[in-house]
Amino acid sequence: MTYCVGMMLDKGLVLMSDTRTNSGVDNISVFSKMHHWSVPGERIISVMTAGNLATTQAVISLLEERTKAPEDREPSILKAPTMFQVASIIGGLLTETIRDRQESSHHMSGGPKFTASVILAGQIAGMEPRLFLIYPEGNFIEASEDTPFFQIGETKYGRPIIIRAYNRQMSFEDASKLLMVSMDSTLAANLSVGMPLDLMVLERDKFEPLHERRIHASDPFFQAISTGWSEALRTAFHSLPGYDLTEKS
Amino acid sequence: MTYCVGMMLDKGLVLMSDTRTNSGVDNISVFSKMHHWSVPGERIISVMTAGNLATTQAVISLLEERTKAPEDREPSILKAPTMFQVASIIGGLLTETIRDRQESSHHMSGGPKFTASVILAGQIAGMEPRLFLIYPEGNFIEASEDTPFFQIGETKYGRPIIIRAYNRQMSFEDASKLLMVSMDSTLAANLSVGMPLDLMVLERDKFEPLHERRIHASDPFFQAISTGWSEALRTAFHSLPGYDLTEKS
């Protein structure tokens, strides 16, 4: 599995992904699931992927090839006029890649389905930062005031704390901490999500990562969060009023 | 969906279930998923069910019929010599019910699968309180020191807080509160889990419920927990050290 979160803030965008891929619990590897491309001063485009690794690597490679010589290859995400069109291009590549693989392996019934999904975050100069969730079918939805973050992969364990602690005005520091707490709850519950983590902070109108970091299991801050959160949760729990067993319904 | 938790403590067993059943989001109803049978001074047997409602109601009805005139009907869970055998009887009924339904509807391809699972908790005089998770296949596992609680249904959202705050020595009051917090996180994230809740506390060697209660959405204690937990989580989050964006990997 995988766990990736993209979060929209007033100040910009914060992204975090784990790096574990697995084909059975006895076959795990580390692969980055976070990639970005930028044109200094003009645009930054960042994607996180979940799903079949061969599919997501193929999509990233196709995007890479097209961004390296954008004048030769159309359509390029570095020339698309809006983030909406970037999302369309990536959605198209994603669904084509999945379809090609499924068609060329349809004789293997009951085989893997090759599906994948993508979180796309970025900004083009003169426009707002935007955040999208792209489905295997190639269609997509955009984050809004009401739904300001997207998760892909193993989304459930880490969701309650984001729902409770997120607010749009929070600092990048708090948002990074929140994603680590959310990730920590997921790591504790699902072996197929694993360290190290990738963190990226995209400040509004900056068009290059403000902060980009690989967080290893030995990272002292992450360890402090992980240990501290267990303790803080217990304290929070005991701060709630006590239940009275003698109460009747 | 459903969310049920059964928890083993030194002092006994604590069970909680939601009551929402649904067939699509436009068709929801309230049904109790928690049932118990007892022989005063001799045994108490409590079950919680998740899955296809017709299947779980059939299993409960079969258990009911057999318990009402146990001398006529074998095997009865009120006469089984051990909790292990009670689990075997319920597992057998469950898998038979599922198989009968599947066989008589196999012409409806792609139809529902009628599966269900059960948490069984109870004690027979002279033996320890025991807690089982019974699978649709009729086999089952038992809680232990290492895995002292079982969840069925929508298990993920409510799991991190149980992992963090549970300890075997906790009071019934704290355990009841913990299950409400876990339930609250689940209610906030999955519409197919819904109020009211059923709570049952089984004290060791008591053979009848020490406490049994239906908790409605208007319940002042549950409301205090629900509101207080959001606040306590935010406080816990802010009590953690701050992340430093200038740190390098």
Side-chain angles (χ1 to χ4, degrees):
Chain A
M1 208 108 155
T2 281
Y3 181 38
C4 304
V5 195
M7 202 180 264
M8 173 77 74
L9 304 176
D10 283 344
K11 296 181 178 61
L13 295 152
V14 185
L15 313 177
M16 185 174 279
S17 65
D18 83 316
T19 55
R20 180 161 293 174
T21 67
N22 72 302
S23 170
V25 287
D26 55 349
N27 185 2
I28 64 171
S29 316
V30 174
F31 281 95
S32 177
K33 301 167 188 178
M34 185 187 283
H35 304 267
H36 78 279
W37 299 268
S38 63
V39 178
E42 199 270 327
R43 73 177 60 198
I44 179 139
I45 293 166
S46 181
V47 302
M48 293 183 290
T49 57
N52 181 276
L53 183 62
T55 297
T56 61
Q57 285 200 345
V59 171
I60 297 299
S61 297
L62 289 167
L63 291 172
E64 278 285 349
E65 281 193 8
R66 292 183 185 187
T67 52
K68 274 180 184 148
E71 57 286 3
D72 302 331
R73 298 164 210 249
E74 293 293 341
S76 163
I77 55 170
L78 295 187
K79 294 176 86 178
T82 63
M83 284 300 295
F84 179 89
Q85 294 200 22
V86 173
S88 295
I89 292 169
I90 297 175
L93 278 178
L94 177 62
T95 195
E96 269 171 44
T97 307
I98 295 170
R99 196 178 51 223
D100 287 357
R101 196 49 39 211
Q102 279 176 343
E103 279 172 4
S104 65
S105 69
H106 72 275
H107 58 288
M108 302 171 70
S109 71
K113 286 285 166 270
F114 309 111
T115 67
S117 49
V118 170
I119 289 174
L120 163 67
Q123 187 183 9
I124 296 176
M127 286 174 274
E128 286 290 297
R130 293 173 75 176
L131 178 66
F132 296 87
L133 171 59
I134 306 176
Y135 297 107
E137 292 79 4
N139 56 351
F140 49 85
I141 57 173
E142 183 174 1
S144 65
E145 291 276 336
D146 296 317
T147 301
F149 65 90
F150 288 132
Q151 305 167 287
I152 51 178
E154 176 56 276
T155 60
K156 292 188 177 183
Y157 298 112
R159 190 174 178 84
I161 183 60
I162 301 183
I163 291 176
R164 258 74 175 245
Y166 168 87
N167 77 70
R168 210 182 160 87
Q169 292 79 41
M170 71 200 305
S171 66
F172 286 135
E173 287 80 358
D174 273 358
S176 300
K177 187 170 84 170
L178 176 56
L179 293 187
M180 284 190 219
V181 170
S182 173
M183 193 60 85
D184 182 59
S185 292
T186 311
L187 292 165
N190 187 332
L191 273 185
S192 71
V193 176
M195 302 286 290
L197 311 176
D198 286 326
L199 168 65
M200 188 182 293
V201 176
L202 303 178
E203 192 177 9
R204 176 186 279 271
D205 299 329
K206 213 168 137 76
F207 309 110
E208 63 187 57
L210 173 69
H211 181 74
E212 196 184 355
R213 182 131 172 275
R214 172 149 290 190
I215 299 157
H216 293 275
S218 59
D219 183 83
F221 180 76
F222 185 77
Q223 288 186 344
I225 291 293
S226 185
T227 318
W229 184 239
S230 282
E231 194 49 46
L233 271 187
R234 278 188 289 271
T235 307
F237 177 72
H238 290 296
S239 77
L240 294 178
Y243 184 65
D244 179 4
L245 274 192
T246 61
E247 220 174 312
K248 293 285 172 235
S249 53
Chain B
M1 207 110 155
T2 281
Y3 181 37
C4 303
V5 195
M7 201 180 264
M8 173 76 75
L9 304 176
D10 282 344
K11 296 182 179 60
L13 296 152
V14 185
L15 313 177
M16 185 174 279
S17 65
D18 83 315
T19 54
R20 180 161 292 175
T21 68
N22 73 303
S23 169
V25 286
D26 55 351
N27 186 1
I28 64 172
S29 315
V30 174
F31 281 95
S32 177
K33 301 166 186 177
M34 185 187 282
H35 303 266
H36 77 279
W37 299 267
S38 63
V39 178
E42 199 270 328
R43 73 178 60 198
I44 180 144
I45 293 167
S46 180
V47 304
M48 292 183 291
T49 57
N52 182 275
L53 182 62
T55 297
T56 60
Q57 284 200 345
V59 170
I60 297 298
S61 296
L62 289 166
L63 290 172
E64 278 285 348
E65 282 193 8
R66 292 184 185 187
T67 51
K68 274 180 183 148
E71 58 284 3
D72 303 331
R73 299 162 210 249
E74 291 293 340
S76 163
I77 55 172
L78 295 188
K79 295 176 87 178
T82 64
M83 284 300 295
F84 179 88
Q85 293 200 21
V86 172
S88 295
I89 293 170
I90 296 175
L93 278 180
L94 177 63
T95 196
E96 269 171 46
T97 306
I98 296 169
R99 195 179 51 225
D100 287 356
R101 196 49 40 210
Q102 280 175 343
E103 280 173 4
S104 65
S105 69
H106 72 276
H107 58 287
M108 301 172 72
S109 72
K113 286 286 168 269
F114 309 110
T115 67
S117 49
V118 170
I119 290 175
L120 163 68
Q123 187 183 9
I124 296 175
M127 288 174 273
E128 286 290 297
R130 293 173 75 178
L131 177 67
F132 296 88
L133 172 59
I134 306 176
Y135 297 107
E137 292 79 4
N139 57 351
F140 50 85
I141 58 174
E142 183 174 1
S144 65
E145 291 276 336
D146 296 318
T147 301
F149 66 90
F150 288 133
Q151 305 166 286
I152 51 177
E154 174 56 275
T155 61
K156 293 187 176 182
Y157 298 113
R159 191 174 177 85
I161 183 60
I162 301 184
I163 291 176
R164 258 72 175 245
Y166 169 87
N167 78 70
R168 210 181 158 86
Q169 292 79 41
M170 72 200 304
S171 65
F172 286 135
E173 286 81 1
D174 273 357
S176 300
K177 186 169 86 170
L178 176 55
L179 293 186
M180 284 189 219
V181 170
S182 173
M183 193 59 85
D184 183 58
S185 292
T186 311
L187 291 166
N190 188 332
L191 273 186
S192 71
V193 177
M195 303 286 290
L197 311 176
D198 285 326
L199 168 66
M200 188 183 292
V201 177
L202 303 178
E203 193 177 8
R204 175 186 279 271
D205 298 330
K206 213 169 137 73
F207 309 111
E208 63 187 58
L210 173 68
H211 181 75
E212 196 184 356
R213 182 132 171 274
R214 173 149 289 190
I215 299 158
H216 293 275
S218 59
D219 183 82
F221 180 76
F222 185 77
Q223 288 186 343
I225 291 295
S226 185
T227 318
W229 183 239
S230 281
E231 194 49 47
L233 271 186
R234 279 189 289 270
T235 307
F237 177 72
H238 290 295
S239 77
L240 294 178
Y243 184 65
D244 179 4
L245 275 190
T246 61
E247 221 173 311
K248 294 284 171 234
S249 55

